Amino acid sequence: MAKKVASQIKSSKSQPGSAYFMVDSDQRIEQHTMAVMVINEPGVLARVIGLFSGRGYNIESLTVASVTHDDSMSLITIVTSGTPMVIEQIRNQLERLVPVDSIKDLTQEGPYVERELAMVKVVTKAKSPERAEVLRCADIFGAKVVDTTTRSFVFAMTGNTDKVESFIDLMRELGRTEVARSGVVAIGRGT
Amino acid sequence: MASLKPMNGAEIVIQSLIDQGVEVVFGYPGGAVLPIYDAIFQQSSVRHVLVRHEQGAVHMAEGYARSTGKVGVVLVTSGPGATNAVTGLTDALMDSIPIVCLTGQVPTHLIGNDAFQECDTTGITRPCTKHNYLVKEPKDLARIIHEAFFVARKGRPGPVVVDLPKDIQFADCPYVMPESVKPTTYRPATRGKIQAIEKAVDLLSNAKKPIFYGGGGIINAGPAACKKFTDFVRATGYPCTLTLMGLGAFPASDKQFLGMLGMHGTYEANMAMHDCDVMIAVGSRFDDRITGRLDAFAPDAKIIHIDIDPSSINKNVAVDIPIIGNVAHVLGQLTGTWDKRKNRKRNLKELKAWWKQIEDWRSRDCLAYKKNSEIIKPQYALERLQALTEKRDTFITTEVGQHQMWAAQFLKFEKPNHWMTSGGLGTMGYGLPAALGVQTGHPGKLVIDIAGEASFMMNMQEISTAVQHHLPVKVFILNNEYLGMVRQWQELLHGGRYSESYAAALPDFVKLAESFGAVGLRANKPSEIDDVITEMVEVDNVVIADIVVDPTENVYPMIPSGSPHNEMLLGPAAKGKGSGKVTEKGKVLV
């Protein structure tokens, strides 16, 4: 029987391996969105973030807010990436944290919807043709104007990460931009 | 239950400890815990052992916890008291030892103000504890302390810190009984899934070259779990190896025991791990000192892995049948299922061939060493220690380094909870304070710290603690005047350039012992060893035995850097040569 470890983890030619084995993984990197329900108490976010930094996991995006009627629980939405083995580890390591109540790997358990909020400030010359173009594009993306001066707009728009990034890229072509983003929030579909 | 009588925070702390069944606290007073020390002064239920350094306090609590199965309790002050405890806490986390460490803190209104002896204790200890708490409201105090004990011992055990601001210690607090407290979000699994158990028994029944690979998780699950493990291994008739942390979970004298595995494990254990077709890992975590080169680890094995911590599963090695649960429960389930299938067909011929192969490996006598009548070989000293103490119920602790590996190889552990060593973190200076903790929990028993002279000096101030509290531990120093393991690696990997590994300016350990009010003994020649050991064991006092050993001896067998299990370096006295060698590239990687 071919060994799964041998097939999943290959050491490159430059590394003979050792007691401290250094892994060159040729496994695919997956992106996962996880919803982590935690007790709303001081330090809980530091625990989660410390776990990620301490164990070398990636955080692509992280949001946190209280979600229950009595403010006793918070939901942390984390977008992370890694090999399937690392993703499994992240989930299991999160589960070990005492104030963590439950974890949903939405990517795995799907289907789910995710959204991000971006506020984009675009500065153009007053009365320039770009200014009209900015407004037209924003309309196509469904972005709402939340502030304006003669030389600038601030748009608020929501969508999935791709859409938000497309919009920001577009605005960058049309003027000087300043961006604030909420990070991803996500929830499972249906009941 | 409501409050018994009005109590302040400090009294609540003590009451909580009493209701948790705590007999002894290892600690060191300071400004931020004075109210608690005042409460300790006014009671007699909880004993306090005054240490000489907070690191020692945590190691003592570890030794106490590991030898008794109870939670070890530490009490230290704020700032430096807490930071000094960090090494011990990390050690306890790595080895899954249940500890509750109470730290003083500056009053709540001063937190964040850079007050005298303030540090961010919960921040500093967050990554080195299983969980930690800062008590901000008097009403939470009793609940948090009870919760800390629950978390420390439940599931995979570990250290828990409770940070206690000084104003909370003075405040009037309500009391709650331990039974009423349980964290709602912490629910580790205990029973294994039935389907997994069935599949595991299928695999074990059909195995041709099986091996049991047991670890510290069995010890942590308690003596009953160790008995279940032993019974199950014997019922199968399969070979069994144990990790450094697992020694004692299966009797060393049993024919089915192959010795310890891993970097300095026996030839037969490592070869059997490499060649096996079914491996059952019980309470062990595929640590890098165990697996060696990962891509060549047990290439033909189907692996069953029993662990209470899901994060141990598939962390380093992908396994075929994970079983998450308490080892004691799961072993009970496995034994039940195994017994039900009495009429199964088994591969008796192949199993016989497997045992013959193992006996072949065993006959290499991988722990053999060259005897010498002039110079004491460290292995000889340990063989004599084993021979002269095996009739007693002896508890062994170690420091970290060569002597630790020799102790693991040459001392025989028949029972669990008799072997305390810093496995995961590899903390030099662990052994002496751990021995004091063991002795505290086992008055009248023989407790020996197998030490190197360098490790011993990292926490030797605790000899003073031993003398003060009449804890007659024996420190058995294998004195080779080197940081031995460093020297060995430098010899094998760095061209014999012994950079900073010579332990110069050593004290006279006999005089050192005497200056503390302890007894100092020395053996220079093999002929003196027996007398020294006999006297060390007999005398009712703390003893430092300075055993002057061969400074150039190396620990073998050894899986060198970058090598798999089946390429070991064997010592010069073993029969036949090992196939291992240190590659140029391997040197880079420790």
Side-chain angles (χ1 to χ4, degrees):
Chain A
M1 181 198 93
K3 186 67 215 150
K4 35 228 157 278
V5 175
S7 63
Q8 287 179 7
I9 301 167
K10 294 229 171 66
S11 64
S12 75
K13 299 233 161 44
S14 64
Q15 272 184 18
S18 87
Y20 285 134
F21 192 75
M22 297 176 192
V23 177
D24 280 347
S25 178
D26 57 0
Q27 282 182 284
R28 68 192 181 285
I29 302 288
E30 298 176 349
Q31 193 174 72
H32 282 236
T33 304
M34 296 191 187
V36 186
M37 190 68 84
V38 298
I39 296 181
N40 187 6
E41 64 181 19
V44 66
L45 188 58
R47 280 180 216 285
V48 171
I49 292 172
L51 175 78
F52 274 73
S53 67
R55 292 186 183 267
Y57 306 143
N58 299 314
I59 299 179
E60 317 261 333
S61 153
L62 186 146
T63 64
V64 56
S66 161
V67 290
T68 49
H69 63 93
D70 58 354
D71 280 349
S72 65
M73 306 297 277
S74 291
L75 186 71
I76 302 178
T77 310
I78 306 175
V79 181
T80 183
S81 60
T83 63
M85 225 161 151
V86 168
I87 297 287
E88 186 190 341
Q89 267 294 300
I90 291 173
R91 189 200 172 106
N92 288 333
Q93 292 290 354
L94 282 169
E95 211 136 62
R96 288 174 79 187
L97 297 179
V98 172
V100 169
D101 183 63
S102 64
I103 300 152
K104 275 192 186 145
D105 184 337
L106 294 166
T107 307
Q108 199 178 327
E109 293 168 25
Y112 70 102
V113 279
E114 65 176 42
R115 288 290 180 273
E116 194 176 345
L117 169 74
M119 309 267 270
V120 184
K121 185 188 288 177
V122 191
V123 183
T124 56
K125 280 188 194 136
K127 297 178 189 164
S128 65
E130 283 85 359
R131 199 167 153 81
E133 184 64 14
V134 162
L135 263 187
R136 248 167 25 112
C137 290
D139 191 42
I140 291 166
F141 273 83
K144 270 171 66 182
V145 179
V146 291
D147 178 66
T148 186
T149 64
T150 54
R151 298 181 56 232
S152 71
F153 291 112
V154 174
F155 297 106
M157 71 95 66
T158 58
N160 61 25
T161 302
D162 279 353
K163 182 180 167 189
V164 167
E165 281 175 359
S166 306
F167 179 66
I168 293 168
D169 288 347
L170 197 59
M171 290 299 118
R172 280 198 176 121
E173 286 180 32
L174 296 171
R176 185 161 57 77
T177 56
E178 196 181 318
V179 177
R181 291 168 70 171
S182 66
V184 171
V185 290
I187 199 164
R189 284 183 189 273
T191 53
Chain B
M1 192 174 133
S3 174
L4 307 168
K5 61 177 164 60
M7 287 191 274
N8 68 25
E11 289 163 334
I12 293 275
V13 170
I14 300 302
Q15 188 60 47
S16 307
L17 297 184
I18 292 170
D19 288 338
Q20 286 289 344
V22 175
E23 294 158 347
V24 59
V25 172
F26 304 93
Y28 203 99
V33 283
L34 280 174
I36 299 174
Y37 273 86
D38 202 35
I40 286 177
F41 190 80
Q42 298 175 43
Q43 56 84 49
S44 54
S45 306
V46 179
R47 180 180 173 199
H48 182 270
V49 172
L50 175 66
V51 303
R52 297 299 182 270
H53 186 285
E54 289 87 350
Q55 184 193 348
V58 187
H59 292 326
M60 281 180 215
E62 284 186 273
Y64 177 84
R66 290 176 70 162
S67 62
T68 63
K70 298 174 189 164
V71 178
V73 182
V74 177
L75 173 58
V76 298
T77 193
S78 62
T83 57
N84 277 345
V86 163
T87 301
L89 292 169
T90 312
D91 191 275
L93 183 70
M94 290 287 269
D95 286 347
S96 307
I97 311 301
I99 300 288
V100 169
C101 178
L102 308 170
T103 56
Q105 183 56 278
V106 300
T108 40
H109 69 274
L110 283 179
I111 289 178
N113 245 345
D114 298 327
F116 177 64
Q117 291 196 328
E118 185 193 352
C119 74
D120 176 9
T121 302
T122 46
I124 290 170
T125 60
R126 201 170 286 132
C128 67
T129 53
K130 184 174 173 187
H131 193 51
N132 63 17
Y133 300 88
L134 169 62
V135 183
K136 282 185 164 168
E137 302 285 342
K139 69 174 168 52
D140 295 332
L141 177 63
R143 174 186 61 81
I144 285 178
I145 292 178
H146 292 314
E147 202 173 295
F149 276 86
F150 178 88
V151 171
R153 63 165 86 90
K154 188 81 177 167
R156 180 178 179 173
V160 178
V161 162
V162 183
D163 203 19
L164 302 163
K166 195 169 180 180
D167 55 328
I168 302 282
Q169 299 171 35
F170 280 125
D172 286 334
C173 302
Y175 186 65
V176 291
M177 293 297 282
E179 301 79 49
S180 60
V181 175
K182 200 174 160 193
T184 50
T185 54
Y186 185 62
R187 306 171 290 259
T190 50
R191 293 200 160 271
K193 294 213 170 89
I194 295 297
Q195 303 93 310
I197 302 277
E198 293 280 347
K199 277 206 276 185
V201 171
D202 284 347
L203 203 52
L204 282 171
S205 304
N206 295 317
K208 293 170 182 165
K209 298 196 274 182
I211 188 163
F212 279 87
Y213 149 45
I218 315 175
I219 310 267
N220 270 337
C226 297
K227 174 146 194 325
K228 280 183 189 165
F229 178 71
T230 303
D231 291 346
F232 186 55
V233 174
R234 284 177 176 159
T236 60
Y238 295 164
C240 171
T241 179
L242 295 170
T243 67
L244 181 70
M245 294 296 294
L247 294 177
F250 187 78
S253 58
D254 195 294
K255 285 285 259 186
Q256 284 170 252
F257 185 53
L258 306 187
M260 181 177 77
L261 80 161
M263 182 170 272
H264 293 295
T266 64
Y267 187 69
E268 52 271 31
N270 285 330
M271 291 300 282
M273 282 292 279
H274 184 269
D275 283 9
C276 70
D277 70 342
V278 173
M279 176 190 301
I280 171 163
V282 186
S284 47
R285 60 183 179 92
F286 297 88
D287 172 88
D288 56 75
R289 303 282 127 162
I290 293 300
T291 59
R293 183 176 175 147
L294 264 179
D295 59 357
F297 175 75
D300 302 320
K302 286 261 188 191
I303 302 176
I304 304 161
H305 188 185
I306 306 169
D307 206 293
I308 200 161
D309 180 0
S311 75
S312 286
I313 309 268
N314 292 339
K315 182 168 68 177
N316 303 324
V317 171
V319 300
D320 299 276
I321 305 180
I323 305 177
I324 295 157
N326 182 309
V327 162
H329 285 292
V330 174
L331 283 168
Q333 291 171 289
L334 275 175
T335 310
T337 311
W338 176 269
D339 288 346
K340 268 187 228 147
R341 302 192 192 175
K342 280 275 182 259
N343 303 320
R344 72 170 99 51
K345 190 166 153 280
R346 302 195 45 201
N347 302 310
L348 295 174
K349 208 174 110 208
E350 286 89 346
L351 287 170
K352 208 173 155 200
W354 178 231
W355 269 112
K356 187 174 171 307
Q357 172 68 69
I358 287 170
E359 291 307 328
D360 263 14
W361 288 327
R362 218 178 226 163
S363 68
R364 298 286 284 272
D365 197 9
C366 67
L367 297 180
Y369 60 94
K370 283 190 176 140
K371 300 255 183 344
N372 190 310
S373 60
E374 289 303 308
I375 301 175
I376 302 174
K377 291 286 183 178
Q379 299 97 323
Y380 177 74
L382 288 167
E383 279 181 342
R384 293 315 300 157
L385 184 72
Q386 170 68 27
L388 294 168
T389 59
E390 68 189 356
K391 293 221 169 59
R392 292 167 177 261
D393 190 19
T394 310
F395 292 80
I396 301 287
T397 70
T398 76
E399 310 288 340
V400 168
Q402 284 185 316
H403 64 275
Q404 177 191 29
M405 292 298 112
W406 283 316
Q409 292 173 338
F410 286 87
L411 301 180
K412 305 292 171 221
F413 299 97
E414 300 295 317
K415 286 185 280 186
N417 307 101
H418 284 62
W419 162 249
M420 276 57 59
T421 192
S422 172
L425 194 64
T427 310
M428 289 173 73
Y430 170 88
L432 173 59
L436 299 190
V438 175
Q439 189 81 78
T440 310
H442 301 271
K445 291 288 165 65
L446 176 61
V447 183
I448 304 173
D449 169 30
I450 311 292
E453 77 291 341
S455 281
F456 169 69
M457 288 178 73
M458 281 213 182
N459 268 329
M460 67 177 182
Q461 75 283 351
E462 302 302 337
I463 290 288
S464 174
T465 309
V467 172
Q468 181 195 343
H469 296 278
H470 308 292
L471 301 167
V473 299
K474 322 295 178 186
V475 184
F476 193 72
I477 301 178
L478 299 173
N479 182 352
N480 59 6
E481 297 183 34
Y482 274 104
L483 320 186
M485 194 58 97
V486 173
R487 193 205 57 76
Q488 174 168 346
W489 285 82
Q490 287 172 336
E491 178 189 329
L492 296 174
L493 304 174
H494 294 276
R497 293 177 295 278
Y498 299 127
S499 178
E500 304 295 323
S501 55
Y502 182 66
L506 287 173
D508 178 330
F509 287 110
V510 174
K511 285 185 182 158
L512 181 79
E514 285 162 0
S515 74
F516 276 112
V519 174
L521 304 170
R522 179 172 293 125
N524 286 303
K525 287 197 166 74
S527 57
E528 297 165 2
I529 276 271
D530 282 22
D531 287 347
V532 165
I533 292 173
T534 309
E535 190 177 349
M536 174 183 91
V537 169
E538 294 297 329
V539 67
D540 183 26
N541 196 347
V542 182
V543 178
I544 299 176
D546 182 19
I547 313 297
V548 181
V549 299
D550 183 352
T552 62
E553 191 66 25
N554 286 338
V555 182
Y556 290 112
M558 175 174 176
I559 301 177
S561 306
S563 297
H565 275 164
N566 60 346
E567 292 174 22
M568 305 190 75
L569 290 175
L570 289 183
K575 295 182 186 69
K577 282 263 157 24
S579 56
K581 60 178 189 294
V582 183
T583 61
E584 271 307 309
K585 285 170 183 167
K587 291 176 188 174
V588 186
L589 302 167
V590 175

